Amino acid sequence: MDRLTLQAAAHAAFDRLAAAGLPGATLVASDPTATLELALGSVDRAASAPMALPAPMRFASVSKLVIAYVALSLAEDGALDLDAPLQGPQGALPVTLAQCAAHRTGFRDALEDPAFRARAAAADGRIAWREAMEAGLALGRVALAPGERRYANTNALLIAAACERAAGAAFDALAQRRVFAPIGVPLMTALPDSAPKGYRHARAPGALEYGDTLVDASTHIPGWAGPAGGYAGDVRALMRLGTRLAQGDGLSAPARARLHGFEHGGARTWGFLLQRDGAVVGHDGDVPGYAARYGWRPRDGLRVAVLANLSNLVDGTNPAAALADTLFAAQ
C-alpha cells in the first residue's frame, strides 16, 4: 500500500464531500503490507470537536452481512435449509432464503408505503423490525425479469426471522454468539449521547425520504431496520467485522462458496447478501444520519472501512461509499 497516495486521495475526496455537506468521517484502509487510519472533519456541523477514530456511528446496511453469516452458519449446522420454501408470518411463501439473499424475490420495502413511512417518522424509528418485515410483505411482490434484482430490507429481515425460528433464539443473541463475540467486537444497537451528530438531506419535515433539506437525524432510532441496518460501532470495529463477514472466516468451504456465489456479471452482482462492485466485495448503506461502507478487493487484499455522519448528499450519493471508492481507485 502506498499510504501517502491513499492519504492524499482521502483528504481530497473528503474536501469535495465536505463542500457538499459532510461534517466528518472515519476510515481504515489496510492491505498485507500497511494500514492507514484517518479521522476527518468534525463530529457536528458546528465543528465543535474534531472527528475521532473511536467515534461510534451506525453501520447501516453493512449490518446485513451479519444476517448472512448467521444464516450460513446455521445452515452448516443443519438447522436451516436455504433452498426450501420460506415460512412467513402468515404461512408458506413461494420463495427461498437463497432467493431472498440474492434479492430475487420481488418483495418491496416497508418504507415504500407512505403510511408506514409516516408512522416510522412519527415514532422516531421506534418500530420493531418484524413490523417492517410484515409491512413489506403486505405490499406484495413486483414481477422481476430473468436476472433482475430488487433490493429490499424485507429480504434480509425474512432471513433473520428464519434464523430465529431455526435456532429458537432472538437474532441479536445469535449474532452475539456467532459473529461479534468470536472477534471481540461489542454488539451495539444504540448510540451513546457522545456519538457524532448525524445528518440527512431529507424531504422536510421527515427524515426518512431523500431530499434537499439538511436535517439533524441524530436522535432517529432505525428500529424498523433491525439487524438489516441497526448495528453500530466505531470504524475499527467495522473493519474487523467486515473482514470476517465478507471473507467468510470461520465458515466451511461450501458455506464460503455460497457467500461468494455471485450469479451473473454486471456493475453490481449479489452473493448471499453480499455485494460485488467490479473487483470489490462488501456492502454499503445508510440510515438517517449515518452512512457506511466496507469493501475488500481480493486480488491485492486491500480492505477499506468508512463511517460518515451524513447519510446522503442532495443527489442521493452515499458519502461513505464515495470516499471508499476513491481509495480503491487510487491504489
Side-chain angles (χ1 to χ4, degrees):
M1 174 196 297
D2 185 337
R3 293 180 75 256
L4 292 179
T5 297
L6 283 186
Q7 184 167 322
H11 280 282
F14 178 79
D15 289 345
R16 293 192 298 271
L17 294 165
L22 174 61
T26 56
L27 69 87
V28 178
S30 179
D31 72 5
T33 67
T35 296
L36 172 68
E37 297 183 333
L38 291 175
L40 303 164
S42 61
V43 299
D44 59 33
R45 289 185 55 79
S48 58
M51 185 63 78
L53 283 169
M57 290 180 268
R58 296 199 181 276
F59 296 162
S61 284
V62 181
S63 303
K64 289 180 173 65
L65 298 183
V66 176
I67 297 177
Y69 194 98
V70 171
L72 290 168
S73 65
L74 285 171
E76 276 189 317
D77 294 345
L80 200 58
D81 185 345
L82 304 178
D83 299 306
L86 181 61
Q87 289 296 313
Q90 306 301 322
L93 299 171
V95 296
T96 66
L97 293 178
Q99 290 172 314
C100 288
H103 296 287
R104 288 193 287 112
T105 63
F107 286 129
R108 299 172 63 187
D109 196 292
L111 293 180
E112 296 177 46
D113 177 7
F116 181 88
R117 192 166 60 243
R119 192 160 65 91
D124 197 20
R126 293 171 174 82
I127 292 179
W129 62 266
R130 292 165 191 81
E131 292 184 65
M133 180 185 74
E134 293 180 11
L137 291 175
L139 293 174
R141 295 197 296 153
V142 175
L144 300 180
E148 185 181 0
R149 302 289 185 271
R150 194 175 198 278
Y151 184 91
N153 278 343
T154 304
N155 288 312
L157 295 178
L158 282 166
I159 298 173
C163 291
E164 289 191 331
R165 287 193 298 272
F171 188 84
D172 281 353
L174 296 172
Q176 169 67 14
R177 184 163 65 249
R178 292 174 179 261
V179 175
F180 290 89
I183 58 173
V185 170
L187 188 157
M188 180 185 295
T189 56
L191 292 177
D193 292 340
S194 60
K197 283 194 171 183
Y199 300 88
R200 187 171 186 82
H201 283 107
R203 188 183 305 171
L208 292 180
E209 298 173 86
Y210 292 160
D212 57 11
T213 300
L214 190 64
V215 299
D216 184 339
S218 304
T219 61
H220 184 83
I221 300 173
W224 45 269
Y231 293 126
D234 65 36
V235 72
R236 289 169 174 146
L238 179 62
M239 174 61 89
R240 293 174 65 186
L241 191 67
T243 298
R244 177 175 177 83
L245 301 179
Q247 295 180 182
D249 293 347
L251 294 175
S252 67
R256 288 197 304 274
R258 188 126 204 187
L259 177 67
H260 298 135
F262 302 104
E263 297 183 353
H264 60 91
R268 169 168 288 180
T269 60
W270 291 96
F272 198 93
L273 289 178
L274 185 67
Q275 297 172 355
R276 184 177 67 192
D277 298 275
V280 178
V281 172
H283 214 296
D284 57 30
D286 72 87
V287 292
Y290 303 93
R293 168 68 162 150
Y294 173 83
W296 164 52
R297 191 163 60 194
R299 72 167 184 246
D300 59 4
L302 180 61
R303 296 174 287 127
V304 177
V306 183
L307 292 172
N309 61 340
L310 174 71
S311 62
N312 57 295
L313 305 186
V314 170
D315 65 3
T317 296
N318 178 318
L323 189 49
D325 290 346
T326 297
L327 297 184
F328 281 113
Q331 187 69 43

